[in-house]
Amino acid sequence: MQAEPRKSLVGEEYEVEIGPVAHGGHCIARTSEGQVLFVRHALPGERVVARVTEGEEGARFLRADAVTVLEASKDRIDAPCPFAGPGRCGGCDWQHAKPGAQRRLKGEVVAEQLQRLAGLTPEEAGWDGTVMPAEGDKVPAGQVPSWRTRVQYAVTADGRAGLRRHRSHEVEPIDHCLIAAEGVSELGIEKRDWTGMDSVEAIAATGSQDRQVVLTPKPGARLPLVELDRPVSVLRIDERIGQVHRVHGRPFVRERADGRTYRVGNGGFWQVHPKAADTLVTAVMQGLLPRKGDMALDLYCGVGLFAGALADRVGEQGAVLGIESGKRAVEDARHNLADFPRVRIEQGKVESVLPRTGITEVDLVVLDPPRAGAGRRTVEHLSSLGARRIAYVACDPAALARDLAYFRDGGYKVRTLRVFDLFPMTHHVECVAILEPADKGV
């Protein structure tokens, strides 16, 4: 017999006590029947009315929004952004929390993931529990740092630019994004008609005046005549064949970090916060302490940010191998690091390319994997190379914690961990873990 469909609970409301913060920008609560709720727009210790947004009877958990706050936390403020709140823009998770409270919540998430997935306390990870703001981001409650140098706008059926609602394809039209960097805001994307476009990405480079708009048209749509308030390059993405075409201006922007200029082509990856690249390079280099003549790996190297910093420090007798899967990023990395004869960039997936290199030992490793992490296979291989120190840059604390457990199995321990709030108002956080052999000094 076919099981009867479960009853949807979307729209049901529950009066609940809000418990601890959880990874993903929500807090945990339980209904009087014991059903778990993941509640957005709430803070620990509050009493709220939570309205279910996803879930059905018998589900392991429900998702919900706090639509009425009955007892507010002392950390609550009115959201500065008029587009934030239940059912609205999904880009920011913590507009309703004071800046210091946001960082404290992020620290609690990192600590919980380390304990649950790696069995590590903050002390065992060499971390004092502090989540550091980026330079210039420590602002009073009610103010918002304008930091996002890359904003991808969705487009409504009638051509208005907006941002996606949480876990939805629906678009929230906006007239201004508070966290957008000044260089993005000055392009005036929200003021134009983008009829026929599926998305519009605005990019404001750090350290140069380069500005870029990347258009993704709907099938068969004609590109609009782009006349913005300042000189800007324009690219078009053809999703059917996965290609990017230059429409106007340069196909790249110039970013700057650690005293070097990096070319980033075709809307490719670069850290979104203007201070992020320098902040992370400093943390990685302070943790690794490269020496002249070292052999180093830069895995998931992108356009060569860490490879360049390493090459500068290991000198002409040292060597750096970078591995990156993206073809255009590899081209950019080779261009960016062409003045270092002892730097080599290989294209392909790390787990496939690294074993083929024949490398059996290295002095230093930097890895900055995608959100899913490096995984057991890659970590096992790295653990066999005998590196003096390894720097793991992570944008997801859960993936970091899982991989740290694999490194422990491979004979490495965490020497220090630093955590940075490079994504204010969101639940995202950046970590830099420095590892060394567990038997060092024994």
Side-chain angles (χ1 to χ4, degrees):
M1 285 182 61
Q2 191 174 16
E4 289 188 16
R6 293 176 175 177
K7 177 187 174 185
S8 172
L9 295 177
V10 173
E12 293 290 322
E13 294 186 353
Y14 300 92
E15 186 176 318
V16 294
E17 195 87 34
I18 300 298
V21 64
H23 183 30
H26 45 248
C27 298
I28 298 173
R30 289 182 181 271
T31 68
S32 56
E33 294 80 27
Q35 176 73 66
V36 174
L37 295 175
F38 287 154
V39 186
R40 284 173 57 82
H41 310 291
L43 293 171
E46 293 187 327
R47 189 157 192 84
V48 306
V49 175
R51 180 181 298 151
V52 176
T53 57
E54 290 181 46
E56 55 193 18
E57 283 185 342
R60 204 158 51 88
F61 61 85
L62 307 174
R63 296 184 184 275
D65 283 342
V67 293
T68 304
V69 179
L70 304 174
E71 296 176 18
S73 165
K74 62 179 175 55
D75 292 321
R76 176 174 285 275
I77 60 172
D78 291 333
C81 177
F83 306 106
R88 306 295 301 278
C89 172
C92 292
D93 308 288
W94 299 119
Q95 287 266 354
H96 58 288
K98 295 176 181 177
Q102 293 183 35
R103 293 191 287 273
R104 188 172 66 250
L105 292 170
K106 294 182 185 192
E108 290 172 8
V109 168
V110 173
E112 189 271 338
Q113 297 292 302
L114 288 173
Q115 180 63 60
R116 185 167 63 86
L117 298 175
L120 287 172
T121 65
E123 293 76 15
E124 290 169 331
W127 175 44
D128 64 3
T130 301
V131 177
M132 295 296 297
E135 182 184 340
D137 278 357
K138 202 165 185 179
V139 298
Q143 294 186 21
V144 178
S146 300
W147 57 270
R148 193 172 186 93
T149 60
R150 293 167 178 242
V151 178
Q152 185 166 41
Y153 299 87
V155 180
T156 64
D158 60 355
R160 294 185 63 191
L163 299 170
R164 300 281 183 193
R165 292 170 183 157
H166 181 62
R167 293 176 61 85
S168 172
H169 291 292
E170 293 184 11
V171 181
E172 178 76 18
I174 65 171
D175 56 30
H176 179 62
C177 176
L178 283 185
I179 65 172
E182 182 179 349
V184 168
S185 297
E186 69 186 14
L187 294 176
I189 301 297
E190 302 95 336
K191 302 172 186 175
R192 289 183 50 87
D193 181 355
W194 298 103
T195 298
M197 296 301 102
D198 189 61
S199 68
V200 179
E201 183 177 14
I203 298 172
T206 301
S208 78
Q209 292 299 308
D210 293 352
R211 303 291 182 262
Q212 192 170 77
V213 172
V214 183
L215 303 173
T216 304
K218 294 175 180 176
R222 297 182 62 180
L223 290 182
L225 179 63
V226 180
E227 294 179 352
L228 298 170
D229 297 338
R230 54 158 298 137
V232 61
S233 63
V234 181
L235 306 179
R236 173 176 62 86
I237 296 179
D238 189 338
E239 291 191 324
R240 296 169 302 170
I241 55 177
Q243 289 188 355
V244 181
H245 306 281
R246 181 177 66 87
V247 177
H248 174 74
R250 296 190 185 98
F252 58 85
V253 295
R254 294 163 298 179
E255 303 281 2
R256 190 152 181 87
D258 194 42
R260 295 183 61 83
T261 297
Y262 290 84
R263 185 182 80 183
V264 184
N266 290 359
F269 175 79
W270 185 260
Q271 290 290 339
V272 178
H273 194 292
K275 299 292 185 181
D278 276 323
T279 297
L280 295 175
V281 166
T282 298
V284 167
M285 295 303 126
Q286 287 177 346
L288 291 181
L289 297 176
R291 303 169 185 166
K292 298 296 184 184
D294 276 344
M295 164 61 191
L297 296 176
D298 179 10
L299 307 181
Y300 317 93
C301 71
V303 300
L305 173 64
F306 295 114
L310 285 166
D312 251 346
R313 291 158 175 82
V314 302
E316 295 180 358
Q317 300 306 310
V320 180
L321 171 65
I323 301 177
E324 165 59 39
S325 61
K327 181 179 178 181
R328 180 56 199 249
V330 167
E331 293 173 0
D332 287 337
R334 289 170 177 166
H335 169 87
N336 294 332
L337 306 176
D339 55 332
F340 292 115
R342 299 274 289 168
V343 172
R344 188 168 97 248
I345 307 295
E346 296 288 344
Q347 184 189 350
K349 294 184 177 179
V350 168
E351 61 268 27
S352 301
V353 174
L354 186 57
R356 296 202 303 263
T357 63
I359 293 173
T360 57
E361 58 182 304
V362 296
D363 298 299
L364 302 172
V365 176
V366 179
L367 65 158
D368 184 4
R371 194 167 299 281
R376 184 189 295 273
R377 178 180 166 191
T378 297
V379 169
E380 287 177 348
H381 191 129
L382 292 176
S383 299
S384 73
L385 299 180
R388 182 174 75 247
R389 286 192 181 177
I390 297 172
Y392 190 129
V393 182
C395 61
D396 185 274
L400 171 65
R402 285 192 293 268
D403 284 347
L404 290 182
Y406 300 147
F407 272 114
R408 181 181 56 220
D409 295 341
Y412 277 80
K413 65 180 180 181
V414 184
R415 176 184 174 88
T416 61
L417 175 68
R418 298 177 70 182
V419 184
F420 301 98
D421 185 14
L422 302 181
F423 312 91
M425 303 293 160
T426 79
H427 74 270
H428 299 289
V429 67
E430 199 84 17
C431 301
V432 177
I434 304 298
L435 297 93
E436 63 184 10
D439 59 1
K440 181 175 180 180
V442 176

